[in-house]
Amino acid sequence: MAILQIKNLHVTVETEQGTKEILKGVDLIIRSGESHAIMGPNGSGKSTLAYTIAGHPKYTVTEGEILLDGEDVLEMSVDERARAGLFLAMQYPVEIPGVSVSNFLRTAKTAISGEAPALRTWIKDVRGAMDALKMDNTFTERNVNEGFSGGEKKRHEILQLELLKPKFAVLDETDSGLDVDALKIVSEGVNRAKEANDFGLLLITHYTRILKYIKPDFVHVFVAGKIAEQGGPELADRLEAEGYDRYVKA
Amino acid sequence: MTTSNSTVPAQHGMAEHSHGAGVPIQIRSARLRSADVADFGPVSRVEEQYRYITSERLAGLDADVLDEYIGDISIKHPEGVTTAWVGSEHPSFGAAGLPEDRPSAAAWGSAEQAYLVTLPGDATADCEVQIGINSETETPSALHIIIDAKPFSRGTVILDHKGSAVLGENVEIIVGDEAEITVISIQDWDTSAVHNSAQFAKLGRNSRLRHMVVSLGGKTLRVSTSAEFTATGGDVELLGMYFADAGQYIENRLYVDHAVPNCKSRVTYKGALQGDKAHTVWVGDVLIRMAAEGTDTYELNRNLLLTDGARADSVPNLEIETGKIEGAGHASASGRFDDEQLFYLQARGINEREARRLVVRGFLNEIIQKIGNEEIESRLSASIEAELERSGS
Ligand SMILES: Nc1ncnc2c1ncn2[C@@H]1O[C@H](COP(=O)(O)OP(=O)(O)OP(=O)(O)O)[C@@H](O)[C@H]1O
Ligand SMILES: [Mg+2]
């Protein structure tokens, strides 16, 4: 049983107009096996939270802490966090020219498990996961995210989630830009990975449609850099019906 | 990354690039060619050939007279390939080109004999010739090599430069009718070496040349490669890869002269730079003369700046004198290391050092994979590793 604690998190970024505070005291606790959905208007700071957990250098933590099983995450480098079991599926995965998917996946797997995976089982695992995500096997020879469609990039993120087996996964709008079929395939991939590894899930989304496939235990409304309200799955339905107006005005 | 991509439309008179202040506009074909060093003025910024290099950098290679090369030349070749030292009276001497700048002319006049390597017409694709040039002589010296690929020949010639020499070199590459050859020039010198190499290729009817310049070690490396088509159906691919670290200067000058119809050229150069005052220069001149109808050409240069303090100059020049061409274009881009790529890889557990390597290797891979020789590919991969290691990134 693992636990990820975010306590009174304040985060700033440098902008042309000077330092800007984006997260203004976020409190959140996620345990293994739990699914948390975060919903909120554009620009409220959802991606900032995701990136800060992963350790993106653009964001500066000015107050608060993030603990993974009591360990200080903020002290860790980006790769140390990943090796400690944190995973972020990016909203906009970048292209890496000249680096093949197969090389990338093997390098990442080796880094995370501390030893190179046995070749035969690894190839089988990759194939299996790709088949399940309805990704063509030729993707392994292509360069990371290069020329991938929006939907293909998202599948590739979930492929990594399945193969790297983290303790906690943050999915930043993985459902955006997916058609109905792809949404189902990707959601099933997340559920499969979760069933296999029992990770804690933080799902950032604008839409309730993904929540039909991935049932959240908790829903958090994120407004202006903090959590404005939390509840169960029923909160998502209410947000869909009413929007964020009453939080934004409040 | 900033990218400029342009396909130059057919009717186009002269070069479209802008010269730096004080550099006179000159049509590429009008540039002086001579075997006599006295015809060339001193190395100075005023002339396009020396816009980036200094006399100081050339460490004496721009003098009137150089010593004759006395370092090692080792050769490995299959049966049928012949080698000989020949004087300037030999018909192959000067058959592929003439110097276009002072250091090349100095080396030309100072090397009384040229080392001639002949690939016979029945040489097959697996014919591999390795020429090892290894010298510790630090007085400026001159070497002249001629590769004569007879009509219909196939094969690969590898020039492997090592040691700590100050070397002025001319390499002539005669590609006979219907011949298909690969020439690879590797500059893997010690850090103190200074090397100016002018490589001239002349292509016969329906011939193909794949030429590759790999510049890794050395203080100053300046390689000027020119390719001239003498008959229709020629196809040249000029590839280059370089890795400059702190204080290192690497210049590559390319010139493709389309003088006859229906020839094809591709120029692809990629470089990585890291460290303070790492400086690379790439100048790609392509001339499509009036008669060169049906020409198909494209040139590309990309530079990856891994750290602050490095500088990459990249200047493509396309001169087109006829509208009746297949295609002509160029692209040039120099960009900083992309931190988002680094973040992505690190977020998958890969440490920073290895993530950087992956990105650099990926960037240069495009060129390495085109060599088509596993032994050299893995050797170059290892050299890149060593480069990355050396600068501790
Ligand atoms: N580097 C930056 N420079 C300036 N402003 C930034 C920077 N990064 C984030 N911001 C600002 O911080 C705020 C929060 O951004 P963030 O991307 O976290 O929002 P979000 O909730 O994920 O929005 P969306 O739903 O559109 O993805 C926005 O106003 C954004 O413009
Ligand atoms: Mg976002």
Side-chain angles (χ1 to χ4, degrees), chain A:
Chain A
M1 173 67 98
I3 179 164
L4 182 67
Q5 295 165 285
I6 298 168
K7 296 181 185 168
N8 188 32
L9 192 69
H10 289 252
V11 171
T12 62
V13 348
E14 293 311 316
T15 73
E16 275 158 27
Q17 290 79 39
T19 306
K20 181 178 166 193
E21 182 167 67
I22 297 172
L23 298 189
K24 299 168 179 169
V26 178
D27 290 290
L28 190 61
I29 292 177
I30 307 174
R31 293 180 177 81
S32 300
E34 293 178 355
S35 292
H36 295 246
I38 288 193
M39 305 183 76
N42 292 122
S44 55
K46 305 182 297 295
S47 291
T48 301
L49 175 62
Y51 275 128
T52 305
I53 295 171
H56 195 292
K58 199 166 74 181
Y59 302 97
T60 310
V61 176
T62 52
E63 216 183 313
E65 53 186 354
I66 303 178
L67 303 173
L68 173 59
D69 293 333
E71 298 277 336
D72 186 355
V73 170
L74 297 177
E75 280 297 308
M76 302 179 196
S77 65
V78 177
D79 47 296
E80 282 169 350
R81 295 179 198 204
R83 292 198 295 274
L86 298 177
F87 180 89
L88 167 62
M90 317 258 175
Q91 190 172 359
Y92 306 109
V94 296
E95 299 183 356
I96 308 182
V99 178
S100 70
V101 167
S102 79
N103 184 13
F104 164 66
L105 292 175
R106 201 172 356 93
T107 308
K109 183 68 183 176
T110 304
I112 288 199
S113 42
E115 57 179 3
L119 209 54
R120 190 128 37 85
T121 50
W122 173 244
I123 289 173
K124 211 170 104 240
D125 288 352
V126 174
R127 287 246 167 97
M130 288 179 84
D131 288 346
L133 287 166
K134 300 211 163 40
M135 290 177 82
D136 196 280
N137 271 322
T138 56
F139 267 93
T140 53
E141 285 138 46
R142 292 178 58 179
N143 292 332
V144 173
N145 293 319
E146 204 174 66
F148 287 21
S149 73
E152 287 164 352
K153 285 183 182 164
K154 297 303 173 75
R155 285 177 210 218
H156 181 231
E157 293 295 289
I158 300 310
L159 174 66
Q160 295 167 53
L161 172 66
E162 292 207 60
L163 294 170
L164 300 180
K165 309 187 191 312
K167 288 183 187 161
F168 291 94
V170 181
L171 310 189
D172 191 1
E173 298 201 25
T174 298
D175 55 330
S176 295
L178 296 181
D179 61 30
V180 190
D181 292 334
L183 178 69
K184 187 159 178 278
I185 292 163
V186 163
S187 303
E188 284 168 0
V190 175
N191 288 335
R192 230 180 3 256
K194 192 157 174 299
E195 212 148 286
N197 306 308
D198 200 40
F199 54 71
L201 175 66
L202 184 60
L203 183 78
I204 297 171
T205 180
H206 282 284
Y207 312 106
T208 51
R209 58 175 197 160
I210 194 174
L211 305 181
K212 304 242 172 351
Y213 298 105
I214 303 173
K215 296 263 179 269
D217 304 303
F218 307 92
V219 172
H220 310 267
V221 185
F222 209 80
V223 180
K226 12 167 142 166
I227 292 170
E229 190 179 353
Q230 29 199 338
E234 72 293 340
L235 181 53
D237 296 325
R238 204 177 77 209
L239 287 172
E240 179 140 274
E242 298 172 11
Y244 303 109
D245 275 6
R246 61 197 189 110
Y247 302 104
V248 178
K249 276 176 200 137

Side-chain angles (χ1 to χ4, degrees), chain B residues 132-151:
Chain B
I133 294 148
N134 193 338
S135 170
E136 310 293 328
T137 316
E138 284 165 23
T139 46
S141 59
L143 179 62
H144 193 144
I145 291 171
I146 305 172
I147 298 163
D148 188 1
K150 292 296 184 194

Side-chain angles (χ1 to χ4, degrees), chain A residues 51 56 78-79 82-83 87-88 90 94-99 104 107-108 111-112 145 157 160, chain B residues 338-352 354 358-359 361-363 365 369:
Chain A
Y51 275 128
H56 195 292
V78 177
D79 47 296
R83 292 198 295 274
F87 180 89
L88 167 62
M90 317 258 175
V94 296
E95 299 183 356
I96 308 182
V99 178
F104 164 66
T107 308
I112 288 199
N145 293 319
E157 293 295 289
Q160 295 167 53
Chain B
D338 186 345
D339 290 333
E340 293 301 324
Q341 293 181 353
L342 207 57
F343 174 71
Y344 188 81
L345 293 170
Q346 284 189 266
R348 298 303 178 249
I350 301 166
N351 68 39
E352 181 177 347
E354 187 161 7
L358 266 180
V359 173
R361 240 187 278 143
F363 176 76
N365 252 347
Q369 285 164 353

Side-chain angles (χ1 to χ4, degrees), chain B residues 124-389:
Chain B
T124 50
D126 58 357
C127 170
E128 186 178 296
V129 180
Q130 291 186 31
I131 306 172
I133 294 148
N134 193 338
S135 170
E136 310 293 328
T137 316
E138 284 165 23
T139 46
S141 59
L143 179 62
H144 193 144
I145 291 171
I146 305 172
I147 298 163
D148 188 1
K150 292 296 184 194
F152 299 99
S153 62
R154 301 279 185 278
T156 300
V157 178
I158 300 157
L159 291 167
D160 201 351
H161 301 90
K162 283 185 183 157
S164 55
V166 176
L167 180 67
E169 181 186 51
N170 288 295
V171 178
E172 296 191 70
I173 305 164
I174 304 162
V175 191
D177 293 349
E178 312 281 340
E180 276 184 29
I181 64 157
T182 297
V183 174
I184 303 172
S185 179
I186 302 171
Q187 287 68 238
D188 201 2
W189 299 98
D190 296 343
T191 47
S192 65
V194 176
H195 186 202
N196 186 85
S197 181
Q199 311 204 352
F200 311 89
K202 192 163 259 184
L203 285 94
R205 189 181 160 76
N206 296 332
S207 67
R208 290 185 60 174
L209 169 66
R210 172 187 290 201
H211 181 269
M212 174 167 230
V213 175
V214 180
S215 294
L216 300 167
K219 188 165 179 234
T220 300
L221 303 175
R222 181 171 182 263
V223 181
S224 310
T225 303
S226 63
E228 187 183 334
F229 296 104
T230 60
T232 58
D235 182 337
V236 71
E237 184 168 27
L238 304 178
L239 300 165
M241 187 192 92
Y242 44 94
F243 198 125
D245 33 39
Q248 212 180 357
Y249 178 89
I250 298 177
E251 176 172 325
N252 284 287
R253 287 186 169 262
L254 289 305
Y255 177 31
V256 183
D257 187 353
H258 282 273
V260 295
N262 301 317
C263 291
K264 180 179 166 189
S265 61
R266 291 287 179 273
V267 178
T268 314
Y269 270 65
K270 283 188 151 190
L273 297 83
Q274 68 182 355
D276 197 32
K277 300 214 166 60
H279 187 186
T280 67
V281 174
W282 178 88
V283 179
D285 294 342
V286 175
L287 169 62
I288 305 173
R289 296 184 195 245
M290 191 76 86
E293 293 180 4
T295 290
D296 177 5
T297 179
Y298 195 84
E299 53 170 352
L300 175 142
N301 174 231
R302 285 196 197 295
N303 297 295
L304 181 60
L305 288 94
L306 304 177
T307 59
D308 288 335
R311 169 178 164 188
D313 290 295
S314 180
V315 189
N317 299 317
L318 200 47
E319 278 178 59
I320 306 179
E321 296 172 353
T322 172
K324 296 182 187 140
I325 55 170
E326 277 292 302
H330 61 74
S332 154
S334 299
R336 283 183 48 89
F337 196 90
D338 186 345
D339 290 333
E340 293 301 324
Q341 293 181 353
L342 207 57
F343 174 71
Y344 188 81
L345 293 170
Q346 284 189 266
R348 298 303 178 249
I350 301 166
N351 68 39
E352 181 177 347
R353 193 186 164 93
E354 187 161 7
R356 278 184 179 276
R357 286 179 182 199
L358 266 180
V359 173
V360 177
R361 240 187 278 143
F363 176 76
L364 296 175
N365 252 347
E366 189 193 347
I367 304 289
I368 297 179
Q369 285 164 353
K370 284 191 180 172
I371 299 174
N373 175 320
E374 262 182 50
E375 201 183 313
I376 295 193
E377 283 176 22
S378 56
R379 182 180 143 197
L380 293 184
S381 298
S383 297
I384 292 172
E385 291 301 314
E387 287 280 350
L388 289 163
E389 191 82 34

